[in-house]
Amino acid sequence: MAAQRTRHRAIAGALGAVALTAGAITTGLTLPTASAATWPTPSGTPQAVTKSIPVSGTLDGGMKRYYGDGDLGTGGQGEDQDPLFDLKDGATLKNVILGAPAADGVHCAGSCTLQNVWWEDVGEDAATFRGTGKTYNVIGGGARKASDKVFQFNGGGTLNISGFAVQDFGKLVRSCGNCSSQYKRTINVSNTEVTAPGKAIGGINTNYGDSLTLRGITIIGDSSKKIVPCQKYIGNNTGKEPTENGSGPDGTYCKYSSSDITYK
């Protein structure tokens, strides 16, 4: 794994972030900005994954590194790849490091929790969220080397990301712009550290009523402010590339103010 040129920073006390509930950013709770920490060192012997690992209930990886092999041994951007972990509705994946290659990372069939999960080199996507009217929680952890998206939000409901670190990425999270089934999606990102290079923190579809709320965001190494906090699109269900629909806070779709973002 090549050393990153940008500072390897993450979130201090990622496990402690469990106490941060989704309601924090909708009830006016003041959240601190992210703090620097080192990326975790894997424990034990790395485990090759040749077939998606199904998860029901809770899987605690004990900070072991898992990586794709065989049919999952690709780190490319090809669509419709299988994940290393396939989470059932209500499942929790915690204390896991996804190495390279990582295929399509993690799939959530319904509500799920990803706690202290780290992606060293994102493949197609780090995680994809599906289902209708579900709640998805990403608590702590981090991802880097994502040439496109980190989190792909295909289903409907609410995605809460807290205490996360992202480096060298396209978009941290994208509400699907051209899925055959479209929904209103609510995305909350709090107490998260973003390290350049990157294109956007979030992308949402205004025509489906999506919203992105940002609180306690720290952006590092982007003095020219090229990283777009909230990119708006006109989504569709035909498979066509969605068109951009502006960016920046508006109180309805992009919910944040200048005080919610700190540049370092």
Side-chain angles (χ1 to χ4, degrees):
M1 195 66 62
Q4 291 290 295
R5 294 181 181 179
T6 53
R7 287 181 293 175
H8 287 190
R9 308 182 71 177
I11 307 304
L15 291 176
V18 177
L20 180 62
T21 64
I25 63 177
T26 59
T27 57
L29 175 65
T30 300
L31 299 171
T33 55
S35 300
T38 56
W39 283 64
T41 299
S43 64
T45 302
Q47 180 173 329
V49 181
T50 58
K51 184 178 180 181
S52 300
I53 299 173
V55 180
S56 297
T58 299
L59 188 157
D60 187 334
M63 300 310 294
K64 178 185 290 188
R65 176 190 282 134
Y66 295 79
Y67 65 94
D69 195 15
D71 291 342
L72 297 179
T74 177
Q77 288 296 306
E79 296 293 333
D80 300 319
Q81 295 182 49
D82 289 331
L84 298 189
F85 295 93
D86 194 356
L87 275 59
K88 308 305 179 185
D89 190 12
T92 295
L93 179 68
K94 60 191 295 186
N95 302 326
V96 165
I97 298 173
L98 279 73
D104 201 27
V106 178
H107 285 183
C108 288
S111 293
C112 68
T113 297
L114 306 181
Q115 179 186 332
N116 200 35
V117 176
W118 300 82
W119 291 262
E120 295 179 325
D121 190 339
V122 174
E124 182 184 352
D125 298 312
T128 302
F129 305 100
R130 300 171 174 175
T132 305
K134 300 296 183 176
T135 299
Y136 318 87
N137 295 308
V138 178
I139 304 170
R144 59 192 180 197
K145 297 184 181 179
S147 60
D148 191 6
K149 303 170 298 296
V150 175
F151 297 124
Q152 176 70 31
F153 195 178
N154 290 348
T158 300
L159 169 60
N160 303 302
I161 302 169
S162 62
F164 198 74
V166 62
Q167 305 175 356
D168 190 5
F169 63 103
K171 293 181 180 69
L172 171 59
V173 57
R174 176 67 169 102
S175 174
C176 185
N178 54 13
C179 285
S180 57
S181 296
Q182 290 285 26
Y183 311 94
K184 176 181 178 179
R185 304 177 178 103
T186 301
I187 303 171
N188 302 311
V189 182
S190 63
N191 194 29
T192 287
E193 186 174 271
V194 177
T195 301
K199 294 181 179 178
I201 295 176
I204 57 174
N205 306 312
T206 58
N207 56 317
Y208 294 120
D210 294 351
S211 66
L212 170 63
T213 300
L214 303 176
R215 296 287 187 270
I217 306 298
T218 300
I219 299 180
I220 297 170
D222 185 31
S223 58
S224 59
K225 298 185 178 181
K226 291 183 178 179
I227 297 174
V228 178
C230 182
Q231 179 65 58
K232 291 175 274 192
Y233 294 89
I234 299 296
N236 64 75
N237 59 1
T238 63
K240 295 181 180 180
E241 277 300 308
T243 57
E244 292 186 355
N245 190 33
S247 62
D250 56 28
T252 301
Y253 306 108
C254 296
K255 301 180 179 181
Y256 67 97
S257 65
S258 59
S259 63
D260 294 309
I261 302 177
T262 301
Y263 288 87
K264 292 186 177 180

